[in-house]
Amino acid sequence: MKNRVLDLREILIIAMLLIGCSMQQEEAKAQVDSTKPAILVFYKTAGFYHESIPEGIAAIQKLGKENNIAVEATKDASVFNDDNLKKYKAVVFLSTTGDVLNLQEQTAFERYIKKGGGFVGIHAATDTEYDWPWYNQLVGAYFDSHPAVQKATILVKDKKHPSTAFLPDKWERIDEWYNFKSINLKVKVLATLDETSYKGGKNGANHPIIWYHEFDGGRAFYTAGGHTPESYREPLFLQHLLAGIKYAMGK
């Protein structure tokens, strides 16, 4: 009986060692490859959690592998400090919601942008940080409301930007279409929604849905798509997203 107990202990020790090695290997894989330009995908939620977030992370990681971009994903807000942020060409807010950064982290992010960093907002990035006026100007607007998921027509207004250059003039997609408030009138609108093509639009004839701008020393790009998991399997949407990320990364 004693020998059997010893055997079980040995098995447990070996199993624990194997698990430890596996965790170390996974941790090593998660580290940013310093030989490549890097981006940070931030997906913390303090409000509604979008079930499409894992699909979005996986899609951006795949785009990174295909385009020589190192991608690190986290919901840990403590990474928003000067030493860490300087590793990234751009920070992507992937359907973040609510109050996700404390005052110290906000200040570090502001410094990052002022030093030339890039920002990409996807979908609920506009449903984030309602009490931070600087962020409102950076992301370009705040979420107000949305109707049910449905098909709508995006009217591409500016094809000079790399994120829209290849899109059709009228781009039909199924997604959750945001109505916006507190819109920064200085952003450069790339595409609007045709509110006659769906039910529930509240921004009228000039309903921005994709935009970009240079802001406070850095670059910002926002696309309102990306609510559904299927979005991250759409070739056109992924091409659009990649080009927006590359713009935010700069030269």
Side-chain angles (χ1 to χ4, degrees):
M1 191 70 176
K2 288 183 179 178
N3 289 337
R4 187 176 180 184
V5 171
L6 287 172
D7 289 342
L8 287 172
R9 287 177 178 173
E10 289 172 354
I11 291 170
L12 286 172
I13 290 170
I14 292 170
M16 289 174 69
L17 288 171
L18 289 173
I19 291 170
C21 289
S22 176
M23 290 176 67
Q24 288 177 352
Q25 289 174 354
E26 289 302 315
E27 188 176 332
K29 289 178 183 177
Q31 293 176 352
V32 172
D33 184 347
S34 61
T35 65
K36 300 178 181 179
I39 63 171
L40 175 67
V41 178
F42 183 56
Y43 60 96
K44 180 178 178 180
T45 57
F48 183 81
Y49 175 80
H50 284 76
E51 294 182 356
S52 61
I53 286 175
E55 294 263 6
I57 294 169
I60 296 171
Q61 287 173 334
K62 185 173 184 292
L63 290 172
K65 288 181 180 178
E66 294 170 348
N67 292 273
N68 199 43
I69 300 169
V71 178
E72 183 174 357
T74 186
K75 58 181 179 180
D76 179 6
S78 69
V79 302
F80 282 77
N81 61 74
D82 294 337
D83 288 340
N84 191 62
L85 288 175
K86 67 184 181 182
K87 298 186 298 185
Y88 306 110
K89 294 288 187 180
V91 176
V92 180
F93 275 42
L94 174 61
S95 286
T96 50
T97 55
D99 188 2
V100 293
L101 300 179
N102 64 28
L103 182 58
Q104 184 178 358
E105 292 156 354
Q106 289 176 359
T107 303
F109 190 48
E110 289 183 15
R111 284 196 294 263
Y112 166 78
I113 294 296
K114 288 175 180 178
K115 291 178 181 178
F119 169 81
V120 174
I122 302 174
H123 194 56
T126 48
D127 190 20
T128 302
E129 296 290 354
Y130 288 92
D131 297 322
W132 185 10
W134 181 90
Y135 180 80
N136 177 212
Q137 295 300 299
L138 173 72
V139 70
Y142 279 140
F143 163 79
D144 181 61
S145 62
H146 67 77
V149 173
Q150 59 191 294
K151 182 184 286 187
T153 300
I154 297 171
L155 304 175
V156 179
K157 300 292 187 179
D158 182 351
K159 289 195 172 185
K160 294 179 182 178
H161 195 270
S163 69
T164 51
F166 51 87
L167 294 177
D169 294 342
K170 295 183 178 181
W171 185 21
E172 288 189 347
R173 294 189 62 249
I174 295 174
D175 217 317
E176 181 181 74
W177 304 109
Y178 278 4
N179 297 307
F180 296 105
K181 62 184 179 181
S182 302
I183 298 172
N184 180 354
L185 299 179
K186 294 182 180 180
V187 300
K188 297 179 180 179
V189 177
L190 294 169
T192 60
L193 273 181
D194 178 1
E195 289 194 356
T196 67
S197 68
Y198 74 105
K199 296 180 180 179
K202 294 183 178 180
N203 285 119
N206 185 24
H207 185 149
I209 202 69
I210 304 166
W211 59 77
Y212 77 102
H213 63 141
E214 293 184 2
F215 176 75
D216 210 10
R219 299 159 306 283
F221 170 82
Y222 175 78
T223 183
H227 172 81
T228 67
E230 291 80 9
S231 297
Y232 301 99
R233 297 192 287 273
E234 292 179 36
L236 265 186
F237 182 75
L238 291 175
Q239 189 178 355
H240 162 67
L241 184 56
L242 174 64
I245 290 171
K246 286 184 174 180
Y247 161 75
M249 292 174 69
K251 296 181 180 179

